[in-house]
Amino acid sequence: YRALIETSQSQAQAKSTLAGLETNGFIDSQTRAVIVEFSLYSPSFDWLSAPRLLFEQTEAGQIYTQASLIQPG
């Protein structure tokens, strides 16, 4: 499932979108991983990047995190 949060949304709207994932059962106790991807652009440096955050839960309930950064050619 994918949830899109536009930069034009307020913080309250973004939080509501994320809370809706839990309310509608897309994120629950059986969820093993959540991936957050977004794009950043710096016009002053003409620099584009795409950070990716991974939150993964083991069967024992531990949560592992991983961050990566993709910089298009």
Side-chain angles (χ1 to χ4, degrees), residues 12-41:
Q13 290 170 317
K15 284 183 178 182
S16 176
T17 300
L18 294 175
L21 294 175
E22 185 174 13
T23 301
N24 295 315
F26 291 103
I27 296 177
D28 61 15
S29 61
Q30 299 299 309
T31 301
R32 293 294 303 264
V34 174
I35 300 169
V36 178
E37 296 177 315
F38 52 99
S39 300
L40 296 171
Y41 178 67

Side-chain angles (χ1 to χ4, degrees), residues 4-71:
L4 179 62
I5 298 174
E6 297 286 342
T7 55
S8 60
Q9 288 181 308
S10 69
Q11 184 177 4
Q13 290 170 317
K15 284 183 178 182
S16 176
T17 300
L18 294 175
L21 294 175
E22 185 174 13
T23 301
N24 295 315
F26 291 103
I27 296 177
D28 61 15
S29 61
Q30 299 299 309
T31 301
R32 293 294 303 264
V34 174
I35 300 169
V36 178
E37 296 177 315
F38 52 99
S39 300
L40 296 171
Y41 178 67
S42 172
S44 57
F45 293 102
D46 192 28
W47 187 67
L48 177 67
S49 64
R52 181 177 194 239
L53 308 173
L54 170 66
F55 303 90
E56 189 170 14
Q57 182 172 315
T58 67
E59 289 181 14
Q62 293 176 304
I63 297 190
Y64 290 98
T65 61
Q66 181 181 0
S68 59
L69 181 64
I70 300 167
Q71 293 178 298

